[in-house]
Amino acid sequence: MRAEANDWVRGGASHIHSARPTASDVRGGELRGMRAVMGLSTRFTELLGVQHPIALAPMGGSAGGGLAAAVSRGGGLGMLGSANGDPEWLARELPLIAEAGGRPWGIGFLTWQIDADAIEGALQHRPRAVMLSFGDPSPFVERIRAADTVLIIQVTDLEEARQAVDLGADVIVAQGTESGGHGARQERSTLPFMPVAVDLAGPVPVLAAGGIADGRGVAAARTGSAGQRVSRA
C-alpha cells in the first residue's frame, strides 16, 4: 500500500502492494483498520477525490479490476496493474471497475514495456490517474496531461525524483527497497528516502512505498512524507 508522506497537512496515499491482498481483505476491513491514521483531508485526497490517502499499488497482473474496485469503494484509489498494457488482460479486468460505483480509479504501467498505443487505450476508459514506473516516462507525459488525467510517477532515487518534478508529475511515489527489492542498486530504504524526496518535490504530494504493513507504519511514514504504500507480510 502507498500512503502520502509529505507532512500531516499534505496527506497522501498508500499502496496495497507486495503481499497481494484480495478484494475480500479490503471488504473485511483492511482500510477501515487504518482510518484513525489515514482519515485526513490532504492534497492527495483533494486531488484524486478520495476519502483516504491510500492507493492500491498497480501490481502487474495481480492488481485486477475486482481488487481495484474494492479499494476505491473503501475510500482509497484503486489502481489496475496493467504492466505492459496487454489488451486481452485489460479487456477482462476493466469491466470490473464498474463495481467501484463511479469512484475514482487509476491504472499503472511498467514504462519500459509500453508504447503510445497502450496509453491511448487506457485513456479511452477515462481513469482518474495513470502511474508510470521503471523507465523513462517522458514520452507519455504530454498525452496523459492533455487528457486531464492525474500523472503519478514512481521513483527509486533522487535523479528519478528530479526528473519527475521537471516533467510536472502531479504525484510522486518514493519507493524504497522494501518494496519487492525495487531500487536495490541504490540501497535506499523507504523511511530514509521519503524526507529527501519530499524536500526535493516541494509542493508535489509524495507517496511512500515499501515495507508499510499497518497503521503504525503509515503513521511513521507520514511524519516525513505525504503518504505511504502499505505491504502486508
Side-chain angles (χ1 to χ4, degrees):
M1 189 183 306
R2 295 175 182 164
E4 196 171 0
N6 296 59
D7 53 41
W8 283 100
V9 176
R10 289 162 51 195
S14 303
H15 280 243
I16 302 170
H17 192 66
S18 59
R20 307 181 187 228
T22 65
S24 61
D25 290 330
V26 178
R27 288 193 295 267
E30 184 72 14
L31 297 187
R32 289 195 301 272
M34 289 186 284
R35 280 180 179 169
V37 175
M38 306 299 294
L40 299 172
S41 176
T42 71
R43 293 192 181 187
F44 178 83
T45 60
E46 293 170 1
L47 177 65
L48 275 301
V50 296
Q51 184 178 0
H52 305 296
I54 299 282
L56 174 65
M59 301 169 287
S62 298
L67 180 56
V71 172
S72 291
R73 289 196 308 271
L77 179 68
M79 297 198 72
L80 285 173
S82 181
N84 63 358
D86 176 39
E88 293 185 4
W89 188 86
L90 285 172
R92 183 178 70 246
E93 300 299 330
L94 278 167
L96 300 177
I97 288 293
E99 298 178 8
R103 298 198 178 187
W105 61 278
I107 185 167
F109 295 100
L110 298 178
T111 313
W112 64 274
Q113 285 193 322
I114 62 170
D115 55 21
D117 290 341
I119 296 294
E120 289 291 344
L123 292 175
Q124 291 178 9
H125 297 277
R126 303 182 64 81
R128 184 70 185 93
V130 170
M131 178 174 163
L132 302 175
S133 305
F134 309 123
D136 181 11
S138 56
F140 312 109
V141 166
E142 184 176 349
R143 180 65 187 94
I144 294 170
R145 296 185 67 83
D148 196 27
T149 301
V150 173
L151 172 63
I152 304 175
I153 298 179
Q154 181 165 259
V155 304
T156 60
D157 59 34
L158 291 182
E159 181 179 351
E160 293 176 356
R162 291 188 185 96
Q163 182 190 34
V165 171
D166 291 342
L167 289 173
D170 298 303
V171 177
I172 293 173
V173 176
Q175 185 181 62
T177 56
E178 297 92 334
S179 183
H182 298 304
R185 64 187 175 88
Q186 302 296 333
E187 298 183 354
R188 191 185 292 272
S189 296
T190 302
L191 291 180
F193 185 27
M194 285 186 313
V196 182
V198 166
D199 289 344
L200 189 150
V204 180
V206 176
L207 312 185
I212 302 164
D214 57 19
R216 293 171 298 178
V218 170
R222 284 181 56 83
T223 62
S225 70
Q228 305 82 23
R229 178 180 66 197
V230 177
S231 303
R232 296 177 63 236

